[in-house]
Amino acid sequence: MAAAPEPGEPGKGKPFKLLGILDVENIPCARDSVLYGSLGSVVVGLGHFLLTSRIRRSCDVGVGGFIVVTLGCWFHCRYNYAKLRIQERLAREGIKNKILYESTHLDPARKQTNGGSSSS
């Protein structure tokens, strides 16, 4: 039994693009945003239909719900993704500086231990 190919593998066929422009497989947050938007569209449209029994208006409200929920999920996810990337970059820089300055006269940990022991 062959294993399913991982996303982004070079041997795979064409990636799935929504409306021909949005590469849902490789863009972070795109898949979740579209799925939550479609679910929000169904819930809002069906809820509006059950309350008002107006078919055309309910479809319009459903499309509006799709847009609002998709954009809301997109911005929330991208904001968290950007925060995570910044935290990763800061941690990477901290590790690089720790390796670079370890056991030198510029090491902040060495300055703290030397300053505490020599002040007696």
Side-chain angles (χ1 to χ4, degrees):
M1 196 174 207
E6 292 294 321
E9 259 186 25
K12 197 172 177 189
K14 293 191 322 186
F16 177 70
K17 290 191 177 192
L18 187 66
L19 300 175
I21 55 170
L22 184 62
D23 188 6
V24 177
E25 186 177 348
N26 295 325
I27 297 176
C29 304
R31 178 180 175 269
D32 291 338
S33 298
V34 171
L35 288 175
Y36 286 131
S38 60
L39 179 66
S41 148
V42 169
V43 168
V44 170
L46 188 61
H48 189 271
F49 176 73
L50 291 175
L51 290 175
T52 63
S53 298
R54 295 173 68 184
I55 296 172
R56 183 179 170 116
R57 177 64 59 98
S58 297
C59 290
D60 294 342
V61 169
V63 170
F66 173 78
I67 293 170
V68 168
V69 172
T70 301
L71 289 177
C73 287
W74 173 266
F75 286 122
H76 175 72
C77 183
R78 292 299 288 190
Y79 175 75
N80 288 336
Y81 183 73
K83 265 190 357 184
L84 182 67
R85 295 286 300 238
I86 290 171
Q87 289 173 349
E88 287 174 354
R89 189 183 72 222
L90 290 175
R92 228 179 288 120
E93 288 174 2
I95 291 170
K96 184 180 80 173
N97 288 339
K98 176 73 174 170
I99 292 170
L100 186 65
Y101 295 130
E102 193 171 31
S103 72
T104 65
H105 70 282
L106 299 174
D107 187 9
R110 188 173 177 185
K111 286 181 182 178
Q112 290 172 356
T113 56
N114 286 346
S117 61
S118 63
S119 63
S120 31

